[in-house]
Amino acid sequence: MKQAFTLAEVLITLGIIGVVAALTIPTLISNHKKIETSSRLKKFYSSMEQAIRLSEIDNGESTEWIKASTQKDENGNVDFEANGKVSKEFFMTYLAPYFKYTKIVDGVNEIDKDGNKTGNGTQTTVYFADGSTFNFNNGSCMDIVFDTNGNRKPNIYAKDKFIFYMCFTEASRKSVCGKSNKAICTKRNYYNSRTELLNACKTTPYYCSGLLEYESWEFPYDYPYKL
């Protein structure tokens, strides 16, 4: 006589499989996101460093590069459209020839319900073939926001958006980048220890790229945010 599983045994087995899947699949998805995000951060930072080195051969030291001041309107408010224009001019002059990108979209002025100009999501943005993007905020330095998956959610700092800085004077590099004198930096060398970097990441997600650079762009076990 052939042995067979009873219906109860099959249901119990399926239940166990379901519980195990429920426990392990979220972890697998999270680990996959970390690996993908880490890979794109490494690629972006390496590509940016290489583009800067090549540009310095043609355009001189980055400390001599010309960056326009923050553009403002007649009322003294940031003019995001004008700011986007000069950001694009900077990119096309100093970086575009040394990058492989698919398109660049100009920054524009966006008006909120109260009639105020906002720059939310409206800075000049460069698109890559893998779906990642970066945009410029033309402030005292050129702030660069790299988004590892472009327009897709969550669009949150420390999860898929990471900040980098390009400063062009010794004073601004010291003020923003700390001990680093590189043309592109994070807050890694602004703080004195990993503990300080981790605390800065916890309190200000904007600065988490510094912690990740310290960790060679790998997500540490105690990274404070879930991807």
Side-chain angles (χ1 to χ4, degrees):
M1 182 178 177
K2 293 183 178 180
Q3 296 292 322
F5 292 108
T6 66
L7 178 59
E9 289 172 329
V10 171
L11 292 175
I12 290 171
T13 302
L14 291 175
I16 293 172
I17 292 173
V19 171
V20 172
L23 292 173
T24 59
I25 288 178
T27 299
L28 291 174
I29 292 174
S30 178
N31 288 339
H32 173 73
K33 287 182 179 178
K34 287 180 179 179
I35 291 170
E36 182 179 43
T37 303
S38 174
S39 176
R40 292 192 175 187
L41 279 166
K42 290 176 184 177
K43 181 179 179 182
F44 172 74
Y45 190 67
S46 175
S47 297
M48 184 65 77
E49 284 192 314
Q50 181 179 22
I52 290 170
R53 286 196 298 270
L54 293 173
S55 183
E56 286 184 324
I57 294 173
D58 296 332
N59 299 298
E61 292 293 325
S62 56
T63 51
E64 300 173 1
W65 294 359
I66 298 173
K67 184 192 80 66
S69 59
T70 302
Q71 304 296 292
K72 297 184 178 181
D73 61 21
E74 64 278 5
N75 297 316
N77 300 314
V78 175
D79 187 327
F80 295 100
E81 187 169 336
N83 231 21
K85 182 179 179 181
V86 296
S87 297
K88 181 178 180 180
E89 290 173 353
F90 175 88
F91 175 76
M92 299 307 295
T93 300
Y94 295 110
L95 296 174
Y98 316 100
F99 263 115
K100 290 183 179 180
Y101 65 98
T102 57
K103 65 177 179 178
I104 180 169
V105 176
D106 293 3
V108 297
N109 285 318
E110 192 173 85
I111 309 299
D112 65 18
K113 62 181 181 180
D114 298 319
N116 300 313
K117 294 178 182 178
T118 90
N120 297 328
T122 59
Q123 288 91 356
T124 293
T125 303
V126 179
Y127 290 76
F128 294 114
D130 64 2
S132 61
T133 64
F134 73 91
N135 60 44
F136 297 100
N137 177 31
N138 182 37
S140 58
C141 293
M142 190 69 80
D143 299 349
I144 296 174
V145 180
F146 177 60
D147 193 320
T148 58
N149 58 5
N151 295 327
R152 288 186 295 160
K153 293 181 179 179
N155 291 322
I156 295 174
Y157 285 105
K159 293 191 173 186
D160 61 346
K161 294 175 68 173
F162 301 90
I163 185 74
F164 298 82
Y165 308 93
M166 288 188 71
C167 301
F168 305 98
T169 67
E170 184 177 344
S172 61
R173 288 181 182 179
K174 184 176 181 180
S175 173
V176 174
C177 306
K179 295 184 289 292
S180 174
N181 195 39
K182 298 171 68 174
I184 184 169
C185 73
T186 65
K187 287 291 186 178
R188 173 184 175 175
N189 292 298
Y190 187 83
Y191 295 98
N192 296 316
S193 67
R194 184 187 186 279
T195 300
E196 289 186 5
L197 283 166
L198 179 60
N199 288 335
C201 178
K202 288 178 179 178
T203 57
T204 310
Y206 202 70
Y207 295 158
C208 287
S209 52
L211 174 64
L212 291 172
E213 185 185 5
Y214 180 92
E215 299 286 353
S216 300
W217 305 111
E218 300 287 344
F219 287 86
Y221 73 94
D222 55 353
Y223 191 69
Y225 305 100
K226 183 179 179 181
L227 269 62

